[in-house]
Amino acid sequence: MHWFTRKEGVLHADEVPLTRIAEEFGTPTFVYSRNTLERHIDKIDGAFNDIDHLTCYSVKANSTGAVLKVLAERGLGADIVSGGELFRARKAGIPAEKIVFSGVGKTDDEIAYALDEGILMFNVESESELLAINRGAGEKGVKAPISFRVNPNVDPKTHPYMATGLKKSKFGVPQSQALELYEKAASLDNIDVIGIDAHIGSQLTDVSPYREAAERLRDLVNAIKAKGIDIKLIDIGGGLGINYDEEHPPDPDVWANMVIPVLKETGCKLILEPGRSIVGNAGVMITKVIYIKRNEDKTFVITDGAMNDLMRPTLYDSHHTIVPVIERGEGRELVDVVGPICESGDFLAKDREIDMPLEGDIMAVMSAGAYGKTMSSNYNSRPRGAEVMVHGEDIMLVAERESWEDLVAREK
């Protein structure tokens, strides 16, 4: 559910017409609805009220400071995968004791920074990383709280690039090696073993893999505890899908009801890592139609938004619904919606039947709140777009549009 609705034929974000945002801030611009963010937070976090838990938002989905600040105000923690994301989370007011650090390539500097901040735990993804954290904690005279990210080899039934829990994935440690690694970690002087973690993938629309992963985690927790190692936290990851096109993702209550009965008997606190399911449908990208180009066999709608602004269609061949902000009644046509980038892969939609706009019209690319601005780039020396948050009738510019001068500001 989201707060992007039509009023008298014009698409609004909350109570604000998107035409007004385009006029005031230009295009392309990402527009976020605070009301939608808060609705999704309540829905997902509330689904797990029957068990002690902490919701750690996956910062990689959308790391804009204003978004993180809303989450901090609502009591959420953060799942981070870099020192930069830790910096952003702390700057937005998320307490260090609510932050978990995931990722396969944590550097010594990032480990030191996280130890200094006093994060909740490191989700360790290899033996080499475990030894690096132990060494870094020893240099500081502290104990590092850790869990292992265990690869349960569960098929998440999603896009291959979004599957993270299979044997061939770079993420996590094999379940067959987990017990040995936990015993090794428990023997180290500067390590405090407190949890276990598994994240099987992203954009999941079937909850059965969650149950399978939960059952494997439960059995592993029992085996670890039998070795005298006191596991207190179970991080079940995130990855709940959203509706981009014709998907039918499960309600968060269904997810919760699938895993809580399995894991409650462990007596552990749950950590959740939702990202896309909180921010995905809380944002759109507005873009201006520059030209309508008609070739012999193809019609192109050329917009000022491109693959550098929204990478997902190019990277995943993913679907984002695209609609005109003002309904013109120009009929529907089969078109490619493309940007100005000098690449054949620069498209927002291919062979898509859409309500035709006029040149100069504003289009809205829906479900762009997750993996939009965070995956954007300056390819073709294109400045990245602005970001705006609306709350009812209020409009806030939360990230300024880059300028050409910004492109060269750090060059020597």
Side-chain angles (χ1 to χ4, degrees), residues 343-393:
E343 292 282 351
S344 296
D346 176 28
F347 63 89
L348 299 176
K350 296 188 79 170
D351 296 319
R352 179 85 59 82
E353 187 177 273
I354 67 169
D355 294 323
M356 281 300 288
L358 301 176
E359 292 182 356
D361 278 359
I362 307 300
M363 305 281 283
V365 183
M366 307 302 290
S367 307
Y371 305 105
K373 184 64 176 289
T374 52
M375 295 180 77
S376 64
S377 75
N378 292 125
Y379 188 44
N380 281 193
S381 290
R382 284 170 51 86
R384 285 176 292 188
E387 294 174 275
V388 169
M389 184 175 288
V390 298
H391 189 202
E393 297 180 350

Side-chain angles (χ1 to χ4, degrees), residues 106-133:
K106 305 175 186 73
T107 67
D108 288 345
D109 287 345
E110 289 175 323
I111 291 168
Y113 176 31
L115 288 168
D116 286 342
E117 290 294 302
I119 66 168
L120 176 60
M121 69 180 177
F122 295 88
N123 285 334
V124 178
E125 307 215 16
S126 68
E127 183 176 357
S128 294
E129 181 192 325
L130 172 68
L131 297 176
I133 293 173

